[in-house]
Amino acid sequence: MQSIQERITALKKKRNAIILAHFYQQDEVQEIADFVGDSLELSRIARDCGEQVIVLCGVWFMAGSAKLLSPQKTVLIPNKNAGCPMADMVTPEDVSALRQKHPNAAVVTYVNSSVEVKAISDICCTSSNALKVVASLPNDEIIFVPDKNLGDYVSRFTDKKLILHSGYCPTHQRIFTEHIDIARREHPGAKILVHPECTREIVDAADFVGSTSQIINYATQSDDTEFVIGTEQGILYPLKKKNPNKVFHMLSPHFVCPNMKKTTLEYVLHCLEEMETEIRIDDGLMQAASQSLYKMFAVK
Ligand code: 13P
Ligand code: SF4
């Protein structure tokens, strides 16, 4: 009797598929993946990989980006209900209204957004390249959607005027300064590393701010040995795997994204068996939305 992992591996070969997973996925999903990364790295691999089928273990917008960058490939999301509430907070109508109000501004859209919103944006960004993307634009005014926290973080590093949308990540938004106070008290020697989706108060109180990959790299390269992590708890798996002799604590036990946890090994197996759910994007949207991603990749 084959284990579920063995069945997934065999099917993956048969389908000429690659499994990509985000750092917030369940441990066993990360373990079965061919590549685990942050949003930017997952898009890059999806764009460049040779396999004909991409199984994207993450949330919908990540699978959408993979399809935009590899329209000729079959992109599957194991659990079609894995959405991102932040991505749903901004609509194309919101962007059009902001553009009308600020006609000289460029629209920078965080990849945590729908294909429809990407299609009417000037350029996309992720949490790891948002500063560079904003700096690369000639405009003095930037409409930044949907994440008000990432936008606020970026605004500290530029003279440009950022016009922020009101979106946020419910998982990162529910972290308060009390969590930092408790962590500093309970782990006085630890460095606090947080994601820029956290609020300004949390970012101000942290020792390091970065995307998921940047947090992992920081902890791995640091001479410090104890860290408090201010992002989704799935990241503990790669952190501990890369740093078996270092100690990691979570800033809050509630740091869980329910959507990221919707993908299980059973869903991955089913997805490869039935080749579902396939991401399909309207031809009309494909060209415009992929442009905003390609422009992001062109920023050095
Ligand atoms: P990263 O791009 O840093 O992996 O973040 C993705 C995300 O959804 C954070 O909530
Ligand atoms: Fe969306 Fe937040 Fe979950 Fe990231 S952690 S996928 S931003 S809800």
Side-chain angles (χ1 to χ4, degrees):
M1 173 85 177
Q2 279 187 315
S3 68
I4 187 161
Q5 286 87 350
E6 286 166 341
R7 289 166 70 194
I8 290 171
T9 305
L11 259 178
K12 198 177 68 174
K13 246 193 204 140
K14 185 173 155 196
R15 302 284 193 211
N16 185 21
I18 186 170
I19 300 179
L20 308 182
H22 188 263
F23 291 123
Y24 295 165
Q25 291 289 288
Q26 302 195 31
D27 299 358
E28 59 270 28
V29 174
Q30 294 193 42
E31 195 54 46
I32 195 79
D34 297 294
F35 182 84
V36 189
D38 71 3
S39 305
L40 184 65
E41 293 161 342
L42 293 178
S43 305
R44 204 175 276 132
I45 300 279
R47 184 194 62 184
D48 299 341
C49 69
E51 289 80 358
Q52 181 49 36
V53 176
I54 297 170
V55 176
L56 202 307
C57 301
V59 289
W60 195 275
F61 76 80
M62 295 175 173
S65 293
K67 183 67 186 176
L68 288 171
L69 293 163
S70 282
Q72 74 290 359
K73 295 176 193 162
T74 303
V75 178
L76 305 172
I77 184 161
N79 186 337
K80 65 174 192 261
N81 297 318
C84 168
M86 184 206 283
D88 297 337
M89 288 179 191
V90 64
T91 64
E93 292 72 30
D94 295 332
V95 175
S96 301
L98 284 164
R99 271 204 197 274
Q100 271 204 336
K101 229 172 137 185
H102 307 279
N104 298 322
V107 176
V108 176
T109 295
Y110 190 27
V111 287
N112 301 35
S113 53
S114 67
V115 171
E116 288 78 4
V117 167
K118 288 184 177 77
I120 55 163
S121 303
D122 292 301
I123 188 165
C124 284
C125 73
T126 74
S127 57
S128 60
N129 63 16
L131 307 182
K132 271 198 217 162
V133 167
V134 167
S136 76
L137 297 167
N139 313 59
D140 294 328
E141 288 181 62
I142 306 291
I143 295 167
F144 192 93
V145 302
D147 188 4
K148 62 179 178 183
N149 293 323
L150 179 60
D152 179 55
Y153 179 65
V154 172
S155 72
R156 298 159 172 228
F157 299 90
T158 176
D159 293 334
K160 296 175 196 282
K161 180 179 174 207
L162 266 85
I163 298 132
L164 305 181
H165 182 68
S166 54
Y168 61 88
C169 164
T171 301
H172 288 78
Q173 190 73 18
R174 57 171 172 251
I175 304 305
F176 304 104
T177 44
E178 290 74 19
H179 294 109
I180 300 265
D181 296 342
I182 293 168
R184 293 264 184 233
R185 222 174 25 244
E186 290 185 354
H187 312 292
K191 287 277 187 296
I192 301 185
L193 321 182
V194 307
H195 197 278
E197 287 179 12
C198 291
T199 62
R200 179 177 271 250
E201 293 71 38
I202 300 302
V203 162
D204 277 345
D207 297 305
F208 177 78
V209 184
S211 75
T212 51
S213 270
Q214 289 165 346
I215 288 176
I216 294 167
N217 291 341
Y218 181 94
T220 305
Q221 285 158 16
S222 170
D223 290 335
D224 291 295
T225 55
E226 191 179 9
F227 302 90
V228 174
I229 301 300
T231 193
E232 212 274 350
Q233 65 85 34
I235 199 173
L236 287 182
Y237 185 67
L239 277 169
K240 289 179 179 170
K241 204 170 161 182
K242 279 181 182 259
N243 301 283
N245 299 323
K246 295 184 180 179
V247 178
F248 298 94
H249 313 278
M250 284 305 294
L251 186 51
S252 156
H254 305 297
F255 236 137
V256 177
C257 171
N259 282 284
M260 280 287 183
K261 302 306 187 217
K262 283 182 182 166
T263 305
T264 59
L265 286 183
E266 287 72 18
Y267 274 109
V268 176
L269 178 63
H270 177 83
C271 146
L272 280 163
E273 276 170 346
E274 304 298 328
M275 297 295 280
E276 65 181 24
T277 296
E278 186 176 349
I279 304 292
R280 293 182 192 280
I281 298 174
D282 201 88
D283 282 349
L285 286 175
M286 183 68 93
Q287 173 79 1
S290 56
Q291 277 313 305
S292 57
L293 282 174
Y294 276 113
K295 281 190 206 150
M296 169 183 86
F297 280 115
V299 173
K300 293 290 165 233

